[in-house]
Amino acid sequence: MSAVATELGSRFAEVVQAARGGILREGGLVVATSGGLDSMVLLHLLRFGFQSSGLPIHVAHFDHRMREGSRSDSEWVCGVASAWGLPVFVERAQEPLRSEESARNARYSYLESVRRAVRADVVVTAHHADDQAETVLFRLLRGSGTVGLSGIAEFREPGLWRPLLPFWKEELVEYADSVGLRWREDPSNLESAFARNVLRSRIIPDAESSVAPGARRALVRLAEQARDDVEAWRYLLPGLVETLDLEEGDDVLSVDRAQLLLLPGALRGRVLRWLGERLGARLDTVGTRLAAEFASSGGSGRHLDLTAGLVVRRELDRIVLLPRPLLGKTKEASDTPLSIPGARAGSGSVTLGGRTFTVSWGGPESSESARDSVTVIAPHFPLTVRARQAGDRIQLSYGSKKLKKLLLEARIPRSLRSRLPVFVDARGEVLWIPGVATAVGPEARDDGRQVFHIGIDDADTH
């Protein structure tokens, strides 16, 4: 083996060794192989550079049917895999794919299906440093933010690995020449209809010859710097959000509006985008800006539809993010009310809006260690612990009041109102809403009437 092949092979071995015990275990590899130079170099390095590694290697080829003669590429890859003693999987699109995006989606879907079928650790692709430079420039020209400018990641869930990212195209060409490797040329790589081909063949070469000789390397450095920034923010944002009085429910997140508005606008946007990602929705640049503006100016009870099916809503002094299907939902189908049948001591649990409470009742010991408690004189059993219902009222010192108005005045966000336990007696009268109000009644005294103690805690505190 030539000195060129030996040197590149040694560097590649370091990349693979760094992945051993991490993303690489014993499941092996599925190598995405188009038959072109890049994927053939990758397959050769894995097959002959690590023959004794014990890692099973599977070849996978997807025919997009985007040009004439693509079937012959499949046959050629199958021949190479057979000659090299490797199992091969081939799939052909049912109909010709017309765009780069549809081709990429179909290809990755197939590769992941092969990985699952053979129980491999990762799918391995041949993206290299030039691909990284092209990706960063493409996203830069489209106005991408920091996340986009971080470029192609070496590893992506659930199992995609790109070990050639540290290597440049010319290095792969030298390696292929030095070991006598053959490959298939894809004529579509010369077509100007594809944006990447224009970047690769015209814009980047012109930039290096006329503007900045190190343009490619500068673009790769930009990706590294952007990735460092993204990782730093991912480390810092959880702690920052906790200072905003973060409240989490089932697919609902909210923060204190006043604290959020103390942050600079750009940082406010980052917080809202991070909250959106927690709910499985990625806000684009426009969606992030609109969410930040709404947090500043939106009135209580108003909401704004964002990208990716996400909604931002203002509820009094809270800014709430939730998926669009949950908007206006006030009662969870999984609610499990609790009945307290009589004065005999006992305990039980109630689930409201996905939040579970532990309730204990009977003598004074029932409420001694509870987070919140109440003493009731001669209650009318059975008592029920449930969510608020339309028409509920509570008797206060100045008269009867609707719970709806009481909770509004208490500044309880709408998303939390269906999760508040309401204690009701056999006559339907509200006795207690923990942390909010207790109905007026005779003071607890030793006059022969029954004194009943109730305590309540969040279930996860027990």
Side-chain angles (χ1 to χ4, degrees):
M1 186 175 289
S2 69
V4 171
T6 300
E7 191 272 337
L8 188 143
S10 176
R11 289 165 53 205
F12 185 75
E14 294 176 0
V15 175
V16 175
Q17 188 59 40
R20 294 299 294 267
I23 61 174
L24 288 186
R25 295 181 178 86
E26 303 300 326
L29 317 165
V30 173
V31 185
T33 309
S34 65
L37 167 70
D38 305 339
S39 64
M40 291 307 300
V41 169
L42 174 64
L43 186 61
H44 190 275
L45 283 166
L46 290 169
R47 171 63 180 87
F48 298 103
F50 302 95
Q51 189 172 8
S52 61
S53 68
L55 293 174
I57 298 174
H58 309 271
V59 178
H61 176 87
F62 186 80
D63 180 1
H64 308 96
R65 298 180 61 188
M66 297 180 72
R67 58 179 175 79
E68 295 293 330
S70 62
R71 184 186 290 273
S72 63
D73 288 345
S74 303
E75 295 170 350
W76 191 81
V77 168
C78 287
V80 171
S82 176
W84 290 3
L86 299 173
V88 61
F89 299 82
V90 174
E91 179 74 16
R92 197 165 190 252
Q94 294 184 351
E95 57 185 31
L97 301 174
R98 300 301 182 188
S99 68
E100 290 181 279
E101 182 180 5
S102 63
R104 181 172 58 252
N105 292 340
R107 179 171 67 253
Y108 280 121
S109 177
Y110 170 66
L111 293 170
E112 174 59 17
S113 71
V114 174
R115 186 187 74 84
R116 291 196 303 266
V118 301
R119 298 184 178 181
D121 295 325
V122 289
V123 169
V124 192
T125 67
H127 292 89
H128 48 71
D130 289 84
D131 293 321
Q132 183 75 289
E134 293 164 15
T135 297
V136 173
L137 180 58
F138 180 70
R139 294 178 180 177
L140 180 66
L141 294 174
R142 295 185 66 181
S144 178
T146 308
V147 174
L149 295 181
S150 62
I152 307 171
E154 180 183 356
F155 178 75
R156 189 186 75 193
E157 295 289 354
L160 183 65
W161 184 39
R162 303 176 176 107
L164 289 183
L165 280 179
F167 303 89
W168 296 95
K169 180 78 170 188
E170 60 260 29
E171 295 181 286
L172 305 186
V173 173
E174 290 178 5
Y175 178 89
D177 290 340
S178 69
V179 298
L181 190 63
R182 293 190 301 165
W183 62 87
R184 303 279 288 184
E185 292 289 355
D186 184 351
S188 65
N189 287 336
L190 302 176
E191 296 178 8
S192 59
F194 297 111
R196 282 188 173 273
N197 292 346
V198 176
L199 293 174
R200 181 182 306 123
S201 63
R202 289 167 46 191
I203 294 180
I204 291 180
D206 285 351
E208 293 211 311
S209 63
S210 304
V211 181
R216 287 184 309 159
R217 284 172 168 75
L219 288 167
V220 171
R221 287 197 303 274
L222 176 60
E224 294 169 352
Q225 293 164 2
R227 196 155 47 247
D228 288 344
D229 285 347
V230 170
E231 291 178 2
W233 279 113
R234 284 176 179 166
Y235 177 81
L236 293 172
L237 277 170
L240 173 61
V241 172
E242 287 298 330
T243 69
L244 305 179
D245 189 25
L246 174 67
E247 292 184 352
E248 303 181 64
D250 290 345
D251 294 325
V252 178
L253 298 173
S254 74
V255 293
D256 181 87
R257 179 173 178 266
Q259 293 297 318
L260 179 66
L261 296 186
L262 290 176
L263 301 177
L267 186 51
R268 193 183 312 149
R270 282 186 179 272
V271 166
L272 293 170
R273 186 165 61 241
W274 184 85
L275 291 172
E277 290 177 355
R278 287 279 300 273
L279 296 174
R282 175 168 291 181
L283 292 178
D284 57 17
T285 302
V286 173
T288 301
R289 176 177 57 80
L290 291 175
E293 291 175 354
F294 178 83
S296 301
S297 59
S300 182
R302 303 291 296 275
H303 73 271
L304 176 68
D305 287 297
L306 302 171
T307 51
L310 193 67
V311 171
V312 59
R313 182 170 69 195
R314 179 180 171 188
E315 297 182 0
L316 301 176
D317 56 357
R318 308 287 298 179
I319 295 297
V320 182
L321 277 86
L322 69 163
R324 186 66 177 78
L326 290 185
L327 187 64
K329 191 172 184 181
T330 58
K331 182 174 173 60
E332 298 289 331
S334 60
D335 281 4
T336 55
L338 172 67
S339 177
I340 301 176
R344 187 172 182 179
S347 64
S349 62
V350 55
T351 300
L352 305 172
R355 184 181 182 186
T356 300
F357 301 89
T358 298
V359 181
S360 54
W361 60 85
E365 68 282 353
S366 302
S367 58
E368 285 178 351
S369 61
R371 185 201 68 186
D372 208 345
S373 62
V374 70
T375 299
V376 183
I377 304 298
H380 294 267
F381 291 105
L383 308 184
T384 302
V385 190
R386 57 166 173 78
R388 178 178 65 92
Q389 295 179 356
D392 278 345
R393 305 183 71 92
I394 186 170
Q395 185 66 36
L396 301 173
S397 59
Y398 50 83
S400 176
K401 174 167 284 191
K402 285 186 177 181
L403 261 58
K404 179 179 180 180
K405 186 174 183 181
L406 175 69
L407 297 178
L408 181 63
E409 292 175 350
R411 307 192 70 78
I412 304 297
R414 181 180 303 177
S415 60
L416 300 181
R417 295 173 197 170
S418 64
R419 304 169 65 198
L420 288 176
V422 177
F423 286 73
V424 183
D425 70 10
R427 301 168 299 176
E429 295 188 5
V430 175
L431 302 176
W432 183 40
I433 310 168
V436 179
T438 303
V440 296
E443 296 292 332
R445 57 182 180 268
D446 186 14
D447 59 3
R449 288 187 294 176
Q450 187 179 47
V451 178
F452 191 68
H453 301 269
I454 308 172
I456 188 168
D457 278 292
D458 288 302
D460 59 7
T461 64
H462 281 252

